[in-house]
Amino acid sequence: MADALNGLKQGLTHYGDAGFSLFLRKAFIKAMGYSDKALERPVIGITDTFSGYNACNRSVPAIIEAVKRGVMLAGGLPIEFPVVSVHEAFSHPTSMYLRNLMAMDVEELVRAQPMDAVVLIGGCDKTVPALLMGAASVDLPAILTVAGPMITGSHKGERLGACTDCRRFWGEHRAGVFDEMEIEEIGNKLAPGPGTCMVMGTASTMALVSEAMGMMLPGGAAIPAVHADRLRHAEATGERAVMLASAKLRPSQIMTKNSLGNALRVLQAVGGSTNGVIHLAAIAGRLGFDLNLEELDQIGVETPVLVDLKPSGQHYMEDLFKAGGLTAVLREINHFIDKECITVTGKTLGENMAMQPASWPNDVARPIEDPVHRGGGIRVLRGNLAPKGAIIKQAAATPGLLKHTGRAVVFTSLKDMADRIDAPDLDVNADDILVLQNAGPKGGPGMPEAGCMPIPRKLAVAGVKDMVRISDGRMSGTAFGTVVLHVSPEAAVGGPLSLIRNGDLIRLDVEEGLLELLIDESELVRRRSEWTPPSHTHVARGYAKLYFNEVLQAEDGCDFNFLRAKPREVLSATNGRNCRDDRRSTNMDSSAAGGRSL
């Protein structure tokens, strides 16, 4: 196998003498204790997002060892290397602000260092999309595994999980239900071990859609972080990475237009995070096509929410694991998915499904005839307030608010909201619509998860649990409520959201897919003539300058413009060559001109 691969001989440092470059490389790496026999093996890079700041990845060192064991069992040489680690709660100003930096780090280090394939180990919201974005851009054989979800905690006999219950209990604390001592006690129990949030947050969502796209071995998305199966899956991942290197099966042959279509279908069926829309759009852009919001909306109309997990249901990820994981969901939407898409196993998605254990009746992965929510988890909205789209997680919203007209109560920034949301004299009532401006990709910056604005204290104390909230920001996948997100164009670039004033009437009609500002066009024109961009978007140096110059809007995944691939025809069953054909011809050119939408 070593003769067919390049191993340490590839990507030599430029010294003007290739022989000397290889000699010097081997001399230095022998300081690690490798023998010549070991250095003749195919090299499998292993990159991960472990960090002392990233509790989600606490178990990753054990996963790395299991991956390395698998690589060596298959005859490869595992070499691990670090990349940027991004944790949701430890990233200022936001993790989304740094996701593209991590993706660049992955891309450049995989490209710069000698490896025949790479194992990607992630966990926590932005790490998995960043790993896949970087891998898509390099297009070296790659395979993903994740840290896995946490187990649940308990408080006074009630099962708890981060972070839907974090938000629920904090809201009750703000309303005076829990005092300082009890909320601290609850905080000690919400995250009882390593792993990612155990609800259908962004981490769980991205794990499931990555498995659906074929970038992860079957069954890997839902295995709890502390379960022995997590290490067995990691070992199998390392072993498979060596086979991928030999077959030269690349991400562009796996993450095709059709496989991302499968990912969107799963996103709707599991009641996934709205952040998944942004991340899949970014991955699509790295592959040379756009994510089509209308197609996402149509998929939602066809695909009910089948997974009964918080925040759209009652259960947790360990329950989905026990119920059969993603396979149980895929079998229920069998007639909607493209089963011919190739996966990292070298087999099609359909072949992988057939090899999994038989499904059984359960109350977590529900049958399609008895869904948790009909009509999909996520709905796309358009109108004069969102010309390029907005979205709402309707499965986690209050049904009575999905068709609502109310008076705008406007906050012009995150600081303005923090300063005034709990003011006793705030002019607000339960029928009003809270509007947050300048929380988008540039406005935040980094599109913070502030879209799920807190209920004003005086209303929360009075028992108000939900209100319509509208912003150009994001919402955690663990959050819930009638929250309109990703309004585009954002306020910081002069989008219509920036023109809303206190007292304006806004109409939301989720069934019709409408989000409208009910004022005259002439008034909008007048307000637009007076608009000026926020000063913080003008930065002179560093990553911030690159970010503000290049970041795109939500519908393009908030990626950097210069990192998107040139439009190309992505191989799929709909353009004359199916996904199975990709397995048989692993060196085909996928860079033909002609962009396509997903």
Side-chain angles (χ1 to χ4, degrees):
M1 181 180 295
D3 291 339
L5 299 170
N6 295 317
L8 291 178
K9 300 175 183 177
Q10 61 193 304
L12 293 171
T13 306
H14 290 178
Y15 288 117
D17 182 337
F20 174 71
S21 295
L22 181 59
F23 168 77
L24 195 63
R25 173 174 288 178
K26 292 180 70 174
F28 272 107
I29 203 165
K30 283 184 176 181
M32 304 291 286
Y34 292 120
S35 65
D36 285 323
K37 185 176 181 181
L39 296 178
E40 291 172 356
R41 294 185 172 200
V43 175
I44 307 300
I46 304 172
T47 192
D48 69 275
T49 56
F50 176 76
S51 160
Y53 287 103
N54 199 330
C56 297
N57 288 187
R58 195 185 93 190
S59 58
V60 162
I63 292 174
I64 293 171
E65 291 306 310
V67 170
K68 291 166 69 174
R69 183 168 66 245
V71 171
M72 290 188 286
L73 285 170
L77 175 64
I79 300 181
E80 59 184 284
F81 63 98
V83 291
V84 168
S85 178
V86 179
H87 188 279
E88 186 63 37
F90 284 87
S91 301
H92 177 80
T94 75
S95 60
M96 181 64 89
Y97 177 75
L98 296 169
R99 183 203 63 182
N100 296 344
L101 178 64
M102 180 184 166
M104 292 170 68
D105 191 14
V106 173
E107 175 181 350
E108 297 306 328
L109 288 184
V110 171
R111 182 177 286 120
Q113 299 173 131
M115 61 192 78
D116 297 294
V118 62
V119 176
L120 312 166
I121 305 174
C124 203
D125 294 9
K126 310 307 176 293
T127 60
V128 167
L131 289 166
L132 293 179
M133 290 160 66
S137 294
V138 180
D139 211 21
L140 185 83
I143 186 170
L144 173 75
T145 190
V146 293
M150 283 186 277
I151 57 172
T152 55
S154 178
H155 178 67
K156 294 182 177 178
E158 182 180 356
R159 198 176 180 197
L160 300 182
C163 205
T164 297
D165 294 326
C166 307
R167 299 174 189 281
R168 177 169 63 87
F169 280 110
W170 185 255
E172 293 181 2
H173 169 61
R174 282 174 49 81
V177 176
F178 300 113
D179 61 20
E180 291 291 339
M181 183 176 295
E182 187 163 8
I183 197 67
E184 285 297 320
E185 182 184 350
I186 291 167
N188 291 335
K189 301 172 179 178
L190 285 163
T196 55
C197 290
M198 64 287 272
V199 298
M200 193 55 71
T202 306
S204 298
T205 299
M206 290 309 301
L208 288 163
V209 300
S210 297
E211 183 180 335
M213 280 191 292
M215 286 299 293
M216 185 190 303
L217 291 179
I223 305 170
V226 298
H227 203 292
D229 277 351
R230 175 56 61 195
L231 299 182
R232 284 188 277 269
H233 184 272
E235 181 184 299
T237 298
E239 187 173 3
R240 183 60 198 163
V242 180
M243 303 300 106
L244 283 174
S246 179
K248 301 189 185 301
L249 183 58
R250 297 172 285 113
S252 63
Q253 295 168 278
I254 296 169
M255 293 190 288
T256 63
K257 176 180 180 289
N258 283 17
S259 72
L260 263 78
N262 287 340
L264 290 178
R265 186 75 64 177
V266 166
L267 176 68
Q268 294 282 23
V270 301
S273 167
T274 51
N275 287 313
V277 179
I278 290 180
H279 297 320
L280 289 172
I283 293 167
R286 295 298 184 100
L287 295 163
F289 50 91
D290 295 326
L291 186 145
N292 188 315
L293 289 178
E294 277 62 41
E295 184 167 338
L296 169 67
D297 208 29
Q298 181 58 39
I299 287 173
V301 170
E302 299 168 350
T303 313
V305 177
L306 301 178
V307 177
D308 190 1
L309 252 71
K310 291 185 175 183
S312 300
Q314 295 302 313
H315 297 284
Y316 297 89
M317 282 296 288
E318 63 186 274
D319 303 314
L320 179 60
F321 168 66
K322 294 172 184 176
L326 179 64
T327 298
V329 181
L330 291 175
R331 285 173 176 160
E332 288 298 322
I333 57 173
N334 178 67
H335 55 298
F336 284 130
I337 60 174
D338 185 342
K339 295 183 288 296
E340 289 299 307
C341 288
I342 197 67
T343 72
V344 289
T345 66
K347 299 180 175 62
T348 65
L349 182 63
E351 289 170 335
N352 289 344
M353 290 167 57
M355 295 173 67
Q356 298 304 298
S359 299
W360 60 93
N362 64 84
D363 59 356
V364 182
R366 302 267 283 270
I368 200 165
E369 299 83 11
D370 182 28
V372 177
H373 182 277
R374 297 188 184 277
I378 297 171
R379 187 73 205 274
V380 177
L381 306 171
R382 293 196 187 271
N384 68 346
L385 192 47
K388 293 190 176 180
I391 60 176
I392 184 170
K393 191 172 184 178
Q394 60 179 353
T398 300
L401 291 175
L402 293 177
K403 186 172 184 178
H404 183 76
T405 299
R407 186 185 63 142
V409 177
V410 180
F411 301 100
T412 59
S413 66
L414 293 167
K415 183 179 185 306
D416 182 40
M417 181 181 70
D419 289 345
R420 295 195 297 120
I421 191 74
D422 289 335
D425 60 350
L426 180 68
D427 183 11
V428 64
N429 62 65
D431 293 327
D432 290 337
I433 294 177
L434 304 182
V435 176
L436 175 60
Q437 299 168 333
N438 296 304
K442 293 187 177 183
M447 212 176 179
E449 291 185 342
C452 189
M453 291 170 263
I455 303 299
R457 187 182 298 275
K458 66 181 184 181
L459 297 181
V461 170
V464 176
K465 302 292 187 184
D466 194 13
M467 298 174 68
V468 175
R469 286 157 278 181
I470 300 173
S471 79
D472 47 10
R474 295 180 298 115
M475 176 176 83
S476 169
T478 66
F480 49 90
T482 312
V483 185
V484 176
L485 305 156
H486 309 181
V487 173
S488 182
E490 64 171 309
V493 298
L497 188 70
S498 67
L499 309 180
I500 303 175
R501 302 293 180 262
N502 284 317
D504 289 348
L505 290 180
I506 297 174
R507 180 163 73 101
L508 169 67
D509 190 328
V510 175
E511 184 177 353
E512 296 296 324
L514 291 176
L515 183 64
E516 295 184 318
L517 181 59
L518 303 179
I519 65 173
D520 292 338
E521 179 63 28
S522 59
E523 177 61 14
L524 280 178
V525 171
R526 185 191 69 77
R527 293 180 187 181
R528 189 172 287 113
S529 69
E530 298 174 350
W531 178 83
T532 57
S535 60
H536 76 264
T537 60
H538 304 290
V539 180
R541 63 174 302 279
Y543 177 71
K545 178 178 175 61
L546 177 65
Y547 180 89
F548 284 114
N549 285 350
E550 293 291 335
V551 72
L552 297 167
Q553 293 292 292
E555 65 271 16
D556 290 320
C558 300
D559 200 3
F560 290 161
N561 188 43
F562 72 96
L563 292 175
R564 286 168 60 87
K566 293 180 180 179
R568 66 189 184 192
E569 194 79 23
V570 178
L571 299 173
S572 73
T574 59
N575 62 20
R577 180 175 299 195
N578 67 28
C579 300
R580 184 188 293 268
D581 291 336
D582 294 352
R583 175 179 54 179
R584 296 172 180 165
S585 180
T586 58
N587 293 311
M588 60 183 62
D589 181 13
S590 62
S591 59
R596 292 179 65 91
S597 292
L598 175 64

